[in-house]
Amino acid sequence: MAKTESALTPTRRPVRQLLAASVGNAVEWYDWYAYTFLATYIAGEIFPKGSGSSLVPLLSTFAVFAVGFFMRPVGGLLMGTIADRHGRRTALTATILLMGGSSLLVGLTPTYAAVGVLAPVVLVLARLLQGLSVGGEFAASTTFLVESARPGRRGLFSSFQYVSTTAGQLIASGIAALLVATLTDGQMNGWGWRVPFVLGAVFSLVGLWIRRGAQETRSAEQRRGPRPGLLDALRDHPRESLLICGITAGGTLAYYTWTSYLPTYAELHGGIEKSDALLAGTLSLAFFGLLQPLGGLLSDRLGRRPPLLFFGLGFALLSVELLHALDDSFAVLLLVQCAGMVLLTGFTSISAAVNAEVFPPRVRAAGIGFPYSLTVALFGGTAPYVGTLFEDLGHSLLFPCYVALLCLISSTVYLRLPETAHGELRR
């Protein structure tokens, strides 16, 4: 029997496919995470200082961070549908252009002192556009990566979702750390925090150029068939949608706690210096990125369920102790972050493969995009805000318990998850 286009094309140039997906994805997440690492500087320039707690501007900044997350389900649904109807490449082109424009808008946002309430309005608009882009990016790039994999290598290809995400986050963290180390506080507050966002717009153009060489993974059979509607995945596959929510809930909370919020948590709770917190975050992210392919390869041999349980039960048992251990020591912070990264790899390295293996190809991108992004918005996007709010209310020790509980709930889903590692991907 002759090979179909869907079976042949995606696997002829696997390195090129990985590069096209990974570089663009790294640019997307660089733009997204730059906001988190520079939150304390944005807070002072864009929001008015409250008359009470000094944490009010920071809470406002993290609230905008969460607002951006709530556009991600919309982006996952819209861009996922575009990917299912018109191809993965079309959706990937749209998301990176949208991210470049919104990143530039953040960099050009006027200060509260200059334009008053218009400043946070512009920032919210830019963050909403970024959320739309990132939600669509995950849906399209997850589908593209896993459909590009040869049999028995979906876990490995899946891991590059977070290799590239981590690369973007690492670049954002590294640039933020460099700026903090070389500029004065006055320069950082005045213009230094804007530099990474302007650079992000430039990087987006580079990512767009690289993605032009990607090969479409949507099969000829899909292109000939009827185009899916906007809500077909939710209507026809409600069980699969709920399954992705359960798989994702604990993972996204742990991920955003360890990779985004932990430097701020260490500043507020442990009293560590800002520059040390950013440096520890940068080093642990590099370690995390190196772990991802190993986790993906391991899942191709052992299956998806064992690493997922390693993650979920590990965080349920250890997250409270790890976060309670933080003090003003750089070494302790680095150790806590790296320990969390090892546990996180059980989820992050294979989440793209697990999600793609749940849905049929006709609605795969939209089917992944909406429930995944909705869950991330509810639990991942609110992690910095919830943690800072607990600190402001004087109950900071409740936050580690919250992380442990949600990871325990996801672990019950992993226990019942069908094993999908060794079967053929539905095309």
Side-chain angles (χ1 to χ4, degrees):
M1 182 176 178
K3 292 184 177 180
T4 65
E5 182 178 354
S6 65
L8 179 63
T9 302
T11 59
R12 282 192 296 185
R13 295 180 175 179
V15 174
R16 185 173 180 177
Q17 294 291 90
L18 283 176
L19 183 64
S22 300
V23 173
N25 196 51
V27 170
E28 288 268 351
W29 289 99
Y30 164 86
D31 290 339
W32 179 258
Y33 281 116
Y35 182 96
T36 308
F37 293 121
L38 297 164
T40 53
Y41 296 102
I42 296 172
E45 294 298 303
I46 306 301
F47 295 96
K49 292 181 173 61
S51 57
S53 171
S54 61
L55 289 175
V56 168
L58 185 57
L59 279 170
S60 299
T61 308
F62 280 140
V64 176
F65 180 79
V67 164
F69 272 85
F70 280 94
M71 282 299 289
R72 288 178 61 169
V74 179
L77 187 60
L78 291 177
M79 296 296 177
T81 302
I82 290 174
D84 290 331
R85 288 172 65 90
H86 303 289
R88 318 316 188 199
R89 283 184 57 192
T90 300
L92 290 172
T93 298
T95 57
I96 201 166
L97 285 173
L98 188 59
M99 180 57 82
S102 55
S103 180
L104 183 61
L105 187 58
V106 174
L108 299 179
T109 299
T111 65
Y112 186 86
V115 299
V117 73
L118 182 61
V121 169
V122 172
L123 184 64
V124 168
L125 175 61
R127 198 63 184 172
L128 289 174
L129 293 174
Q130 284 189 322
L132 191 70
S133 174
V134 166
E137 171 69 19
F138 184 88
S141 65
T142 292
T143 305
F144 178 84
L145 271 174
V146 178
E147 289 179 348
S148 296
R150 291 190 175 98
R153 285 292 180 263
R154 293 197 300 270
L156 175 62
F157 271 54
S158 168
S159 71
F160 280 86
Q161 180 76 36
Y162 277 91
V163 169
S164 55
T165 297
T166 302
Q169 194 173 358
L170 186 61
I171 295 169
S173 175
I175 289 177
L178 179 64
L179 289 170
V180 169
T182 56
L183 299 179
T184 66
D185 284 343
Q187 290 172 323
M188 278 300 302
N189 287 315
W191 56 268
W193 66 268
R194 300 178 184 274
V195 172
F197 299 103
V198 176
L199 286 175
V202 177
F203 293 159
S204 294
L205 295 177
V206 176
L208 177 65
W209 177 75
I210 291 174
R211 280 188 168 173
R212 291 179 61 190
Q215 294 174 283
E216 180 57 57
T217 63
R218 194 172 62 124
S219 69
E221 181 180 354
Q222 288 175 256
R223 290 195 288 270
R224 288 192 297 267
R227 292 180 176 181
L230 186 66
L231 300 177
D232 279 9
L234 290 173
R235 186 186 65 242
D236 299 338
H237 303 278
R239 180 185 175 277
E240 288 83 354
S241 298
L242 289 174
L243 187 60
I244 284 185
C245 292
I247 292 168
T248 305
T252 188
L253 176 60
Y255 176 77
Y256 281 99
T257 297
W258 246 255
T259 64
S260 299
Y261 179 59
L262 200 58
T264 301
Y265 184 88
E267 289 179 50
L268 297 176
H269 182 67
I272 196 166
E273 292 294 325
K274 185 181 301 182
S275 58
D276 286 343
L278 285 171
L279 178 58
T282 302
L283 293 175
S284 63
L285 281 171
F287 174 66
F288 181 63
L290 293 174
L291 290 176
Q292 299 312 296
L294 298 177
L297 282 170
L298 191 64
S299 80
D300 283 332
R301 293 180 63 87
L302 300 180
R304 312 299 187 217
R305 193 183 298 115
L308 287 173
L309 287 171
F310 170 74
F311 152 73
L313 295 177
F315 262 100
L317 294 172
L318 298 175
S319 58
V320 173
E321 292 299 323
L322 288 172
L323 290 177
H324 282 186
L326 292 173
D327 53 23
D328 60 356
S329 167
F330 171 82
V332 170
L333 173 59
L334 183 61
L335 182 62
V336 166
Q337 285 202 286
C338 288
M341 298 307 190
V342 173
L343 295 174
L344 263 175
T345 298
F347 170 78
T348 54
S349 63
I350 60 172
S351 63
V354 173
N355 290 339
E357 289 162 354
V358 166
F359 276 95
R362 179 174 176 270
V363 292
R364 182 170 286 144
I368 293 170
F370 182 76
Y372 175 87
S373 296
L374 179 62
T375 309
V376 171
L378 290 172
F379 300 107
T382 58
Y385 185 84
V386 171
T388 306
L389 183 61
F390 278 145
E391 182 75 27
D392 193 39
L393 295 175
H395 300 292
S396 61
L397 298 183
L398 289 178
F399 183 69
C401 298
Y402 170 55
V403 176
L405 177 61
L406 205 61
C407 289
L408 181 61
I409 292 172
S410 282
S411 295
T412 63
V413 177
Y414 304 150
L415 280 170
R416 300 176 61 85
L417 191 67
E419 185 55 70
T420 56
H422 306 302
E424 289 292 328
L425 183 69
R426 288 179 288 176
R427 293 189 181 277

